[in-house]
Amino acid sequence: MAEPQYEIDLGNLMAFNPHHHFVSPPSSREEVVKEAIEQGTKLVQAVADALFHLPSTEDPDGPIVGLPAPTTKLPREKPLPKPRPPTKWELFAQKKGIKKCKKEKLVFDEQTGTWKRRHGYDRVNDDNDIPIIEAKSTDEPGKDPFAERRKEKKSKVEKQEKNRLQNLKQAAKVGALPSHVQLAATALPISGTQAMPKKVSKDELQNVAGMAATATASGGKFDKKLPGEKASKHEKKYRKFLPAVEGSGMGALEKQQTEKVLNKLISRNSHEILNVEKAVNMYNVKKEKKQRRQGRESSTSSKLKPNKKSLKKTLKKGSSNKGKSK
Amino acid sequence: MMRIKTPKKGRIKRELEKRAPKLVETGKKTLILHGTKTSSILNSLLTEIYHLKKNDSVKYSRKNDNIRPFESGGETSLEFYSLKTDCSLFVYGSHSKKRPNNLVLGRTYDHHIYDLVEVGVENFRSMGSFLYDKKLAPRIGSKPFFAFIGEAFESVDELKHLKEILLDLFRGEVVTNLNLAGLDRVYVCTALSSSKIFFSHCALRLKKSGTVVPRMELVEVGPSMDMVVRRHRHPDESLRKESMKTAPELLKKKEKNVVKDAIQGKIGKIYIPDQKVGSVPLANKAKGVKRERREAKMKGEGYKHTQKKQKQDAE
């Protein structure tokens, strides 16, 4: 029998019966359905019991109940919003202790003796309404004070826009840009993407200049060099050929070339890893060293000396990987 | 050089703000679409799911052949649609010989696929095939009850996952105030075996009983089917941790040293640190000494030491 311990999540209006299982495999579909409905009724009754016992307020539509928060945690659909970093003004105001005060929409205008609105049409202290500006002793005769005022206002507006952009850039750096604002680059770099143009180093510039120079039909050979421009680091020739006519002292070049090639071929295909000359040299060197040491330590008897075996691997015929890996 | 782009119309600004991530989230929207081939069963099932969630779902009618949720490349279209319609749940139906009547239920986090469950539909009965008194029909948008029956929902991994997704799919908005007169639907899920569940949608009839709590009666109304779990994909661990985070401001803070009493009201405890009587520096000591020295000098040297000592004792 199902124990009446159901897991109830009131916030989601959910009930879960973890103890029920079909005792016998159900014979027909109707039985399954009936069983399911029966169990469902019991579960829903349990939830409703808990629900109707919550404190409710009366409403013309029906009793309204305050649901608790759901207990089953479900994942969010979007990441948590990051808090906006304080703007430059907000930081300054915090430091100085300046508090925001609510401003009234209507302000009493002394000049006309009426109540005018603070912003908008027919506002208090409108800049354009001033009929006469009295000249100060510091003023030059040619300057237009009205134009001056307009220029000042324009510069203030521009400064404010710049500050606003800086604040938004700071927010964008943290990732807390307001949802309706987008920062767009006005001048796109040559590559056409919105990425910041990378600062090019001196070497890179030289490389690029060299590449541009060689892009001409004659490979940049006849271009006039600017004062201070160094010659290109890469020589123009990419292939080396042996001289056609060999002088008396140069007869060995061709021999050397062919010898080198032959050696490489032979060593690749031969299974003899042992380089006889090298082995003989090594043996001779070892022997000499030993003799020198014996000469120095002639006082001690040779029987007590430890048998020094070299830690280097001796070359073995055939079984090492050197020849086969190629 | 950068410039600030803001929308010129208020309507667009409001739409953008609706789609922005919020501290406490409102209901998730569902995207219903289908693949290259669908059977008649799937067609009716998809339309019925759409009708069940009319307010917060979007149904696409064209076929989408480039969507394969379980393959690595086949999710880009889904993610794009999720971004454009702002839907974080999706229901994708398809029919093939290997997987007949296939339904993929999935969720997205930040418009990237979070987790998936693939389910096969058997023994489907549509809404129209049930006969009942039309007055009982549940209204669109009402908050449903959920009943999960069976120990398999706890023991089997796939069924646990399916339970979570079904809860997310049909739960609607999370509300704090609920009108008890408007409760009229239940989703009943019974585990038949470790991979098969019986899913049914029933209407509620509240009957008068002696107590405050009415007696519940279930009447089968909506679509009912058997769901066989085929494949499923769990979310990435790091993604899961990130998505389960709640805002730190929402966590309740314990109020310390405050006691609320019915008789005395609110009482708070204040702890005062010990007074350091001996080590408090005396401010005017130097001044007193100076004056004393001057007076003593004027009167004569005999008085100096005793007078000084007296002053210190008094302090």
Side-chain angles (χ1 to χ4, degrees):
Chain A
M1 283 303 293
E3 296 151 29
Q5 277 309 312
Y6 305 139
E7 287 174 18
I8 295 184
D9 178 1
L10 258 188
N12 279 327
L13 297 182
M14 184 181 83
F16 172 43
N17 181 0
H19 303 289
H20 174 263
H21 50 269
F22 281 99
V23 182
S24 57
S27 45
S28 74
R29 182 119 184 109
E30 281 99 34
E31 278 214 22
V32 173
V33 175
K34 213 174 68 170
E35 177 79 21
I37 302 278
E38 230 182 84
Q39 287 293 319
T41 323
K42 288 194 200 150
L43 285 174
V44 174
Q45 194 68 53
V47 181
D49 277 341
L51 199 59
F52 279 81
H53 280 114
L54 289 173
S56 70
T57 53
E58 275 302 317
D59 202 63
D61 298 327
I64 294 190
V65 139
L67 276 181
T71 50
T72 35
K73 278 178 80 179
L74 290 170
R76 290 177 61 94
E77 58 169 339
K78 287 179 190 138
L80 277 170
K82 297 197 187 84
R84 188 176 55 93
T87 60
K88 272 184 87 177
W89 168 255
E90 282 175 357
L91 286 170
F92 177 76
Q94 221 172 36
K95 206 169 62 165
K96 287 276 183 170
I98 302 172
K99 295 226 163 59
K100 274 200 229 179
C101 55
K102 187 95 183 188
K103 298 192 179 75
E104 291 297 323
K105 275 197 205 165
L106 292 175
V107 186
F108 188 72
D109 186 17
E110 293 296 333
Q111 216 179 32
T112 52
T114 54
W115 287 90
K116 286 197 177 174
R117 60 195 76 158
R118 192 187 285 271
H119 309 286
Y121 175 75
D122 191 26
R123 55 177 173 268
V124 162
N125 297 335
D126 196 350
D127 227 22
N128 309 337
D129 278 351
I130 305 172
I132 301 168
I133 301 177
E134 292 188 18
K136 290 197 284 198
S137 51
T138 51
D139 271 350
E140 289 173 18
K143 280 201 283 191
D144 176 13
F146 295 100
E148 288 293 315
R149 289 191 83 128
R150 259 182 274 138
K151 249 196 277 180
E152 230 186 85
K153 173 131 183 105
K154 202 165 176 199
S155 73
K156 272 197 222 160
V157 168
E158 271 175 23
K159 180 172 179 284
Q160 181 54 31
E161 270 304 304
K162 203 167 63 112
N163 286 345
R164 179 173 169 229
L165 183 63
Q166 283 301 107
N167 284 330
L168 284 172
K169 271 198 203 164
Q170 280 296 99
K173 218 164 42 161
V174 178
L177 202 57
S179 54
H180 55 274
V181 175
Q182 274 179 305
L183 288 178
T186 46
L188 290 174
I190 303 169
S191 55
T193 60
Q194 295 233 346
M196 291 284 286
K198 226 173 43 168
K199 295 224 167 85
V200 202
S201 66
K202 189 170 158 188
D203 299 315
E204 274 185 45
L205 273 174
Q206 278 180 344
N207 280 343
V208 170
M211 276 195 264
T214 53
T216 53
S218 46
K221 216 159 145 188
F222 303 109
D223 287 344
K224 276 196 209 142
K225 285 220 180 306
L226 291 169
E229 193 181 333
K230 291 186 204 161
S232 63
K233 285 188 198 156
H234 192 90
E235 55 168 290
K236 302 297 182 257
K237 284 188 177 172
Y238 289 91
R239 290 188 72 181
K240 268 192 216 164
F241 292 104
L242 291 174
V245 177
E246 286 177 10
S248 48
M250 306 232 297
L253 275 178
E254 197 177 336
K255 191 180 173 198
Q256 268 180 26
Q257 204 182 42
T258 43
E259 228 183 74
K260 208 160 84 171
V261 173
L262 270 174
N263 278 337
K264 275 197 192 161
L265 281 173
I266 290 170
S267 68
R268 194 184 292 189
N269 291 321
S270 77
H271 292 282
E272 285 217 14
I273 307 301
L274 185 62
N275 184 351
V276 182
E277 281 183 26
K278 201 169 177 184
V280 165
N281 280 340
M282 280 177 76
Y283 179 74
N284 285 339
V285 164
K286 253 195 254 170
K287 205 173 169 189
E288 275 175 33
K289 273 197 189 160
K290 217 177 181 180
Q291 281 173 352
R292 253 181 261 151
R293 239 179 273 132
Q294 273 178 349
R296 260 187 259 153
E297 301 162 4
S298 53
S299 53
T300 56
S301 64
S302 56
K303 280 185 187 171
L304 295 174
K305 257 199 265 171
N307 194 3
K308 282 189 183 169
K309 266 198 168 177
S310 93
L311 295 168
K312 282 188 187 172
K313 264 195 195 168
T314 50
L315 296 166
K316 276 195 267 177
K317 271 196 185 180
S319 56
S320 86
N321 279 329
K322 268 195 202 168
K324 291 186 181 171
S325 65
K326 288 184 188 166
Chain B
M1 278 306 292
M2 294 211 154
R3 66 182 174 91
I4 305 167
K5 273 168 79 174
T6 44
K8 289 278 157 67
K9 297 230 182 275
R11 172 172 56 93
I12 299 171
K13 181 177 173 186
R14 272 175 262 134
E15 271 301 317
L16 284 172
E17 293 199 332
K18 267 194 221 169
R19 296 192 175 196
K22 297 173 208 123
L23 219 55
V24 179
E25 289 195 329
T26 50
K28 297 186 182 179
K29 287 210 279 194
T30 313
L31 178 64
I32 303 174
L33 34 62
H34 59 91
T36 335
K37 201 166 137 197
T38 42
S39 57
S40 56
I41 291 177
L42 264 188
N43 278 334
S44 48
L45 175 61
L46 290 175
T47 43
E48 291 193 1
I49 294 181
Y50 176 60
H51 287 311
L52 282 177
K53 297 170 58 74
K54 206 52 178 300
N55 294 347
D56 52 359
S57 69
V58 177
K59 183 167 188 287
Y60 279 177
S61 48
R62 294 219 191 133
K63 63 179 187 179
N64 305 289
D65 22 348
N66 54 350
I67 294 184
R68 287 167 215 284
F70 279 90
E71 284 167 42
S72 60
E75 315 168 326
T76 44
S77 244
L78 264 179
E79 293 180 355
F80 177 72
Y81 292 147
S82 148
L83 182 66
K84 283 294 167 180
T85 56
D86 194 32
C87 291
S88 60
L89 288 160
F90 66 87
V91 176
Y92 171 77
S94 69
H95 178 80
S96 69
K97 205 157 157 199
K98 187 175 176 191
R99 294 178 225 275
N101 296 326
N102 205 24
L103 204 68
V104 180
L105 311 167
R107 293 186 283 195
T108 61
Y109 175 73
D110 198 17
H111 303 297
H112 294 297
I113 301 275
Y114 179 72
D115 61 358
L116 304 160
V117 169
E118 188 180 56
V119 141
V121 175
E122 292 170 10
N123 299 326
F124 173 70
R125 277 189 71 186
S126 94
M127 281 202 278
S129 64
F130 290 98
L131 304 159
Y132 54 91
D133 185 9
K134 294 300 171 191
K135 284 192 219 157
L136 295 172
R139 304 258 187 86
I140 290 178
S142 57
K143 192 143 172 79
F145 278 93
F146 286 92
F148 289 96
I149 304 157
E151 61 186 0
F153 275 118
E154 211 171 48
S155 51
V156 181
D157 197 29
E158 300 163 323
L159 291 190
K160 218 175 12 177
H161 198 190
L162 183 62
K163 171 173 175 245
E164 210 186 301
I165 288 199
L166 284 175
L167 185 65
D168 216 352
L169 191 61
F170 290 112
R171 113 177 129 148
E173 271 196 45
V174 180
V175 285
T176 44
N177 296 326
L178 185 68
N179 187 350
L180 295 176
L183 297 167
D184 48 8
R185 56 167 95 208
V186 192
Y187 289 102
V188 180
C189 310
T190 322
L192 300 175
S193 73
S194 67
S195 66
K196 197 167 180 186
I197 74 165
F198 168 66
F199 176 83
S200 169
H201 173 232
C202 308
L204 272 183
R205 191 194 267 166
L206 309 169
K207 285 199 158 164
K208 277 211 172 105
S209 77
T211 58
V212 186
V213 186
R215 199 160 58 85
M216 297 285 172
E217 214 181 270
L218 263 63
V219 178
E220 259 201 286
V221 168
S224 81
M225 58 191 132
D226 283 352
M227 290 190 182
V228 180
V229 178
R230 286 181 183 153
R231 291 186 282 186
H232 75 130
R233 194 204 286 181
H234 274 301
D236 231 359
E237 258 316 300
S238 58
L239 212 58
R240 200 177 71 84
K241 273 195 192 155
E242 213 197 303
S243 68
M244 291 295 206
K245 272 194 219 168
T246 48
E249 299 99 70
L250 295 177
L251 294 168
K252 271 197 174 172
K253 277 198 174 160
K254 262 201 319 189
E255 225 186 334
K256 282 182 161 184
N257 296 324
V258 172
V259 171
K260 284 191 197 147
D261 206 2
I263 301 167
Q264 291 174 310
K266 204 170 174 182
I267 303 174
K269 270 191 199 170
I270 306 174
Y271 292 95
I272 304 177
D274 289 332
Q275 277 187 309
K276 293 183 190 131
V277 185
S279 59
V280 173
L282 299 167
N284 289 327
K285 191 173 176 186
K287 243 190 187 172
V289 170
K290 270 193 193 160
R291 186 157 36 106
E292 274 307 293
R293 272 199 179 159
R294 257 186 281 132
E295 285 184 38
K297 268 190 190 164
M298 286 199 300
K299 286 183 188 168
E301 283 194 58
Y303 278 109
K304 204 202 297 182
H305 296 288
T306 47
Q307 276 188 325
K308 217 181 176 181
K309 270 189 182 164
Q310 271 178 7
K311 249 278 154 90
Q312 278 181 353
D313 281 337
E315 280 172 50

